[in-house]
Amino acid sequence: MAAATMSKSAAATNYHHRELGYGRPLGLRRLKKPSSLFLGFSRHAKCSTLRVEATTHQAEQNPPSSEVADGNGSPLNASKKRNSNSIKDEARRHCLSEPPTTFSAKYVPFSPYEPTDESYSLDEIVYRSKDGKLLDVQHDMDALRKFDGKYWKSLFDSRVGKTTWPYGSGVWSKKEWVLPEIDNDDIVSAFEGNSNLFWAERFGKEMLGMNDLWVKHCGISHTGSFKDLGMTVLVSQVNRLKKMNKNLLGVGCASTGDTSAALSAYCAAAGIPAIVFLPANKISIAQLVQPIANGAVVLSLDTDFDGCMRLIRDVTEQVPIYLANSLNSLRLEGQKTAAIEICQQFDWEVPDWVIVPGGNLGNIYAFYKGFVMCKELGLTNRIPRLVCAQAANANPLYLHYKAGWKNFLPVKASPTFASAIQIGDPVSIDRAVYALKNSDGIVEEATEEELMDASAQADLTGMFTCPHTGVALSALIKLREKNVIGRTDRTVVVSTAHGLKFTQSKIAYHSKEIPELQSKFANPPVDVKANLGSVMDALQSRLPSLREKGF
Ligand SMILES: Cc1ncc(COP(=O)(O)O)c(C=O)c1O
Ligand SMILES: N[C@@H](CCOP(=O)(O)O)C(=O)O
């Protein structure tokens, strides 16, 4: 009875606790702040120029061969040339001297309906425009347009699967579209990106009657989420700023667990202090242990994500700690490469639909930006329709969409198994609305039961999905049921984190321990006595075909 009267969000809270860190010490107090700041930048050789611009004419006539990996016509085939200890040394040796790059990017206010002249160098530490708007990274599209779509496709394709620094990274393989002016030596990369675009054949065909369903596994990544794509860019830029002697003591973020993991890993790789603000009891143990292991300063705060976000904004205004949340538009430059990668993986064809789980709402805009850039630079001829999927327990964008985009109101987000998107006051609301309006987009929501069932169903076809991916899959199921998404529509569901970060909710589901959830697709293990008779009985009860065939 008690269970029956328990609200779904309360159920989620209870069972989520088993997965969460509970703000338990786990050595938090024993963590020492690193004593020396920004160690280890001993590289000397400089290679700050790109030479893709050599001549437009030449580029048009000679798209790069698979040997051209540094974007400048300089053959850089790692397997043939590898004879040094460091792939960075090797890349540096191949950098030719001047002329300087013609590609550039700057911050402008995110103000698509009222463009202004206001702009800032990416080397400035600025997160908002004068009147408080979000910023956007604006590329010199005229310079990029000097090269046609064919050129860019060939260049990007030539870099896939190589070890050439830094282009072996799925993000930095698109360097000219991301951070064109950064010195390769300053880049902090774990060769993120190039993630699997998985043909979800059984899930598509058997559950939805679809034959062209794909899951972009962004969570199969260095720290287990798509955040790596943005964090390599942000931490690389911080690395550059430090070398320019900008006053920065470290990099900080508020997080529901994935941003903090990515920030901590990339900062640790570069010897830069990371400071992470986490909502106590609201992230998984697997997520909590990541920044701890990477030596970040971890503050477990008695508030929710939105509270952590307010605090990190206040702190970064007062002390020279660089803000690493997606409020900082640098992050989105890396994240947008997942969209470019999807087109690339389809041989530069555009899917009909892309479904993205949304929380702070930076990623949906990043996807939009990546698709638009491909179209504007002639690699593709259209953009897909975007769907942003939210947990019903944290659904401010969904409510806004349903209200006809009138008067956005933040909500108090309730606990959800999709804990990384338990966000009620998303920073990038304006960016998300813009992306959805301009892609003929849709917003869907998923209840706790729907998202857990969808995730379990996907797992039964060979995936191992996180609850956020469950939210996106659930949106797909609903849109298929309404026939908004057609049987033959090429559809990509973006999986944003690795399921292994969220095992406890899966265990609770499969153990049927979650009140108010039927756990329809639970597959609990069977306790069996260790003798042949008991084992055969158990097998016969689980595998009817055994009995049918006389075993
Ligand atoms: C696993 C996961 N999925 C989805 C999201 C949502 O991304 P965004 O905040 O950019 O909307 C986040 C973070 O918010 C996340 O960590
Ligand atoms: N899910 C995020 C929430 C913060 O989002 P961000 O993209 O603004 O950093 C997390 O993992 O912290």
Side-chain angles (χ1 to χ4, degrees):
M1 188 61 196
T5 54
M6 198 173 180
S7 72
K8 281 196 179 151
S9 59
T13 315
N14 261 2
Y15 284 83
H16 211 74
H17 271 186
R18 307 184 61 162
E19 177 134 38
L20 304 175
Y22 273 122
R24 94 172 58 153
L26 211 65
L28 290 185
R29 278 189 297 274
R30 273 175 277 132
L31 251 184
K32 281 195 194 135
K33 205 170 175 182
S35 53
S36 60
L37 307 182
F38 303 105
L39 303 171
F41 298 135
S42 58
R43 294 173 221 122
H44 9 265
K46 277 277 218 170
C47 176
S48 58
T49 58
L50 286 169
R51 296 168 60 88
V52 181
E53 73 286 2
T55 72
T56 305
H57 181 67
Q58 184 188 4
E60 279 162 0
Q61 294 200 337
N62 303 314
S65 73
S66 60
E67 274 224 325
V68 178
D70 65 351
N72 60 19
S74 153
L76 216 172
N77 183 317
S79 58
K80 285 189 198 153
K81 310 261 176 179
R82 172 69 32 74
N83 58 4
S84 69
N85 294 332
S86 145
I87 59 174
K88 286 191 180 175
D89 287 343
E90 186 174 315
R92 204 181 299 120
R93 272 206 312 280
H94 284 276
C95 278
L96 306 177
S97 51
E98 310 309 301
T101 175
T102 55
F103 301 132
S104 62
K106 60 186 179 188
Y107 293 124
V108 297
F110 178 77
S111 183
Y113 304 111
E114 301 161 32
T116 70
D117 288 339
E118 190 180 335
S119 72
Y120 305 89
S121 156
L122 298 189
D123 294 332
E124 286 182 62
I125 297 172
V126 53
Y127 314 112
R128 293 265 188 193
S129 69
K130 282 187 200 124
D131 60 357
K133 289 196 181 73
L134 293 163
L135 296 178
D136 203 12
V137 173
Q138 187 181 76
H139 289 264
D140 179 349
M141 294 297 279
D142 290 338
L144 292 170
R145 245 183 236 113
K146 288 188 179 143
F147 297 83
D148 64 8
K150 191 172 159 202
Y151 176 85
W152 289 117
K153 289 190 225 179
S154 301
L155 179 65
F156 295 162
D157 287 347
S158 76
R159 291 168 172 172
V160 176
K162 303 282 166 53
T163 55
T164 314
W165 186 266
Y167 306 108
S169 153
V171 172
W172 297 107
S173 65
K174 279 88 186 170
K175 181 183 174 194
E176 296 80 1
W177 293 21
V178 172
L179 269 193
E181 289 163 292
I182 195 165
D183 189 319
N184 285 352
D185 256 13
D186 292 347
I187 288 172
V188 182
S189 169
F191 275 22
E192 49 292 305
N194 290 326
S195 60
N196 184 15
L197 183 56
F198 174 90
W199 181 31
E201 184 182 13
R202 270 196 71 209
F203 189 84
K205 284 185 179 163
E206 293 178 19
M207 322 248 168
L208 302 164
M210 296 177 81
N211 61 3
D212 212 357
L213 175 65
W214 302 77
V215 176
K216 177 69 173 162
H217 276 298
C218 294
I220 302 180
S221 180
H222 185 58
T223 69
S225 87
F226 73 97
K227 305 286 179 176
D228 293 342
L229 304 175
M231 212 52 84
T232 181
V233 176
L234 183 134
V235 174
S236 297
Q237 178 65 12
V238 172
N239 207 9
R240 171 183 164 97
L241 296 177
K242 281 302 297 176
K243 287 186 180 178
M244 297 169 108
N245 291 321
K246 298 270 180 182
N247 180 25
L248 282 176
L249 296 179
V251 190
C253 72
S255 183
T256 53
D258 291 323
T259 297
S260 43
L263 176 66
S264 306
Y266 284 84
C267 279
I272 298 172
I275 301 98
V276 306
F277 289 5
L278 305 176
N281 308 336
K282 293 185 178 65
I283 72 168
S284 77
I285 287 277
Q287 291 173 312
L288 174 62
V289 77
Q290 291 183 285
I292 290 172
N294 287 140
V297 176
V298 180
L299 301 191
S300 186
L301 299 168
D302 182 20
T303 178
D304 57 9
F305 170 80
D306 298 302
C308 291
M309 192 68 227
R310 284 190 289 274
L311 280 164
I312 195 73
R313 279 162 70 167
D314 290 348
V315 167
T316 51
E317 268 167 28
Q318 290 185 22
V319 289
I321 291 177
Y322 195 71
L323 180 65
N325 283 101
S326 58
L327 171 66
N328 186 323
S329 46
L330 283 176
R331 282 260 313 279
L332 306 185
E333 291 308 290
Q335 289 173 210
K336 82 180 179 199
T337 62
I340 307 168
E341 213 170 271
I342 288 172
C343 297
Q344 186 172 21
Q345 285 166 310
F346 286 132
D347 275 334
W348 303 103
E349 283 181 12
V350 181
D352 299 307
W353 297 91
V354 175
I355 307 178
V356 186
N360 220 12
L361 300 181
N363 210 26
I364 187 78
Y365 179 66
F367 269 89
Y368 172 77
K369 207 172 173 190
F371 287 122
V372 167
M373 226 165 152
C374 283
K375 179 168 175 265
E376 288 191 353
L377 291 171
L379 287 77
T380 56
N381 56 9
R382 64 188 178 94
I383 67 166
R385 290 185 70 181
L386 297 179
V387 178
C388 189
Q390 292 211 296
N393 283 354
N395 63 354
L397 182 73
Y398 177 77
L399 297 177
H400 190 38
Y401 170 74
K402 283 289 175 191
W405 300 124
K406 291 204 182 72
N407 302 329
F408 174 74
L409 289 174
V411 301
K412 174 83 185 153
S414 304
T416 164
F417 287 112
S419 53
I421 53 176
Q422 190 187 326
I423 297 172
D425 191 6
V427 160
S428 287
I429 181 68
D430 294 346
R431 291 169 172 156
V433 171
Y434 181 77
L436 288 159
K437 282 186 180 170
N438 285 283
S439 61
D440 196 10
I442 292 176
V443 188
E444 260 298 351
E445 66 170 0
T447 64
E448 294 301 289
E449 179 139 39
E450 288 166 344
L451 72 91
M452 290 302 281
D453 280 349
S455 171
Q457 279 180 288
D459 291 358
L460 288 171
T461 65
M463 290 179 255
F464 194 72
T465 53
C466 73
H468 319 83
T469 308
V471 172
L473 290 166
S474 174
L476 167 67
I477 293 168
K478 290 181 174 182
L479 293 171
R480 262 302 292 136
E481 280 167 3
K482 293 184 227 166
N483 214 18
V484 175
I485 294 184
R487 298 168 71 86
T488 55
D489 290 355
R490 175 169 282 180
T491 303
V492 177
V493 170
V494 177
S495 174
T496 44
H498 203 298
L500 287 172
K501 286 188 169 196
F502 301 92
T503 48
Q504 203 56 43
S505 58
K506 280 190 192 294
I507 291 169
Y509 181 92
H510 286 290
S511 311
K512 290 191 169 254
E513 285 176 3
I514 308 172
E516 298 200 355
L517 257 64
Q518 286 183 40
S519 299
K520 280 194 287 239
F521 305 99
N523 178 28
V526 187
D527 287 332
V528 186
K529 287 210 172 71
N531 61 62
L532 187 59
S534 306
V535 169
M536 287 305 286
D537 286 348
L539 290 180
Q540 280 169 345
S541 80
R542 292 297 300 272
L543 300 170
S545 57
L546 259 190
R547 200 186 291 272
E548 282 157 26
K549 296 211 160 112
F551 292 102

